[in-house]
Amino acid sequence: MASTRRVAVVTGSNKGIGFGIVRGLCKTFNGDVYLTARNEGLGRKAVEDLKKEGLNPLFHQLDISDSTSIQNLKAFLQKQYGGLDVLVNNAGIAYKGNSTAPFAEQAEVTLKVNFWDTLAVCEAFYPLLRPHARVVNVSSLTSTMAFSRCSDSLKAKIKNPNIAMTQLKDLMREFEAVAKSDTVEENGWPKWAYAVSKIGVRVMSYIQAKAFAHDSSRPDIIVNSCCPGYVSTDMSSHKGTKTIDEGAVTPLYLALLPPNVESPKGEFVSEKVVEHWQN
Ligand SMILES: NC(=O)c1ccc[n+]([C@@H]2O[C@H](COP(=O)([O-])OP(=O)(O)OC[C@H]3O[C@@H](n4cnc5c(N)ncnc54)[C@H](OP(=O)(O)O)[C@@H]3O)[C@@H](O)[C@H]2O)c1
């Protein structure tokens, strides 16, 4: 029979900010904490490293780009715990600024992992969320910068308070299409695939939070997105100014929001403060 023990899952947590989030959850979350990684060897090594610090994370394989892997973890959580209490969608990728990969490829691959695969994890795991569950989708302040470079008509669509998931998906598909035809800027988008993918994550979180707010069968499930800050990781080529533990502060704050808080809900949060789209 499934345990009713509380359980937290962090995607892409064998290194970087995700590893810092797992470390923080092990110290503060009342329940089991799963460090997940697409590469089992790297994930188990990361678990061992935290065990040397006296912490006790558990491991499960998860490649967010592999639907079988997502379904395996879902089945495991259902069987072992009968639900899920904290989900941190941290896994993500970014091409380096000096990448010579064609922009169309960068757009397709970056949106696939950061937007579409993150959405697939949400769609698979959301039915498991118990009342008072917390979801943190790791976005980035680059979303704000990219938004400021979008056309007025795109800005209006992105910040439409009534935007539906189908409309958000259409926007992301539109970006992929104009990237393919090399007409990104003519169509009002910034030529910045990573930041556009993080606009997607931010708006996705807003839409999901609204849906949960209307679900009286599972009260007090909260979804937010956040920026961890500029963090020294492989992604930032270790140019970031924050340590991974400093980068974990805002994601941890959102993952551990106490029961029945009024805010933040469906917000984008940076340095524990709600940020709005700027023109
Ligand atoms: N660093 C910053 O300054 C910064 C700023 C703003 C936002 N962020 C966001 O913070 C999050 C963490 O970034 P980071 O800087 O810690 O990057 P990182 O050091 O490159 O770590 C990224 C993690 O995501 C994992 N990952 C990538 N694709 C995956 C997949 N398909 N399935 C499962 N895991 C996958 C990586 O696994 P592998 O080891 O197997 O590659 C790795 O564990 C990302 O969403 C990033 O966009 C970072």
Side-chain angles (χ1 to χ4, degrees), residues 65-160:
S65 304
D66 175 354
S67 57
T68 306
S69 172
I70 295 174
Q71 288 306 320
N72 284 345
L73 177 52
K74 179 182 182 179
F76 171 82
L77 291 167
Q78 181 70 64
K79 184 159 181 277
Q80 294 294 319
Y81 296 92
L84 178 61
D85 301 288
V86 169
L87 172 63
V88 183
N89 280 307
N90 163 80
I93 59 158
Y95 281 78
K96 299 292 176 197
N98 62 2
S99 169
T100 53
F103 186 73
E105 179 190 316
Q106 295 196 26
E108 188 180 338
V109 174
T110 307
L111 263 67
K112 162 122 180 41
V113 176
N114 295 359
F115 179 75
W116 298 106
D117 296 345
T118 298
L119 182 59
V121 171
C122 294
E123 285 172 350
F125 290 3
Y126 279 9
L128 295 176
L129 294 176
R130 284 191 268 249
H132 311 294
R134 303 290 179 249
V135 178
V136 186
N137 294 326
V138 181
S139 176
S140 162
L141 270 172
T142 59
S143 62
T144 304
M145 298 178 218
F147 177 83
S148 70
R149 286 160 48 183
C150 287
S151 66
D152 287 346
S153 99
L154 275 176
K155 280 180 183 161
K157 289 179 187 169
I158 291 165
K159 64 177 187 186
N160 170 11

Side-chain angles (χ1 to χ4, degrees), residues 25-37:
L25 284 174
C26 286
K27 292 177 182 169
T28 48
F29 176 72
N30 178 20
D32 288 346
V33 180
Y34 279 84
L35 184 155
T36 69

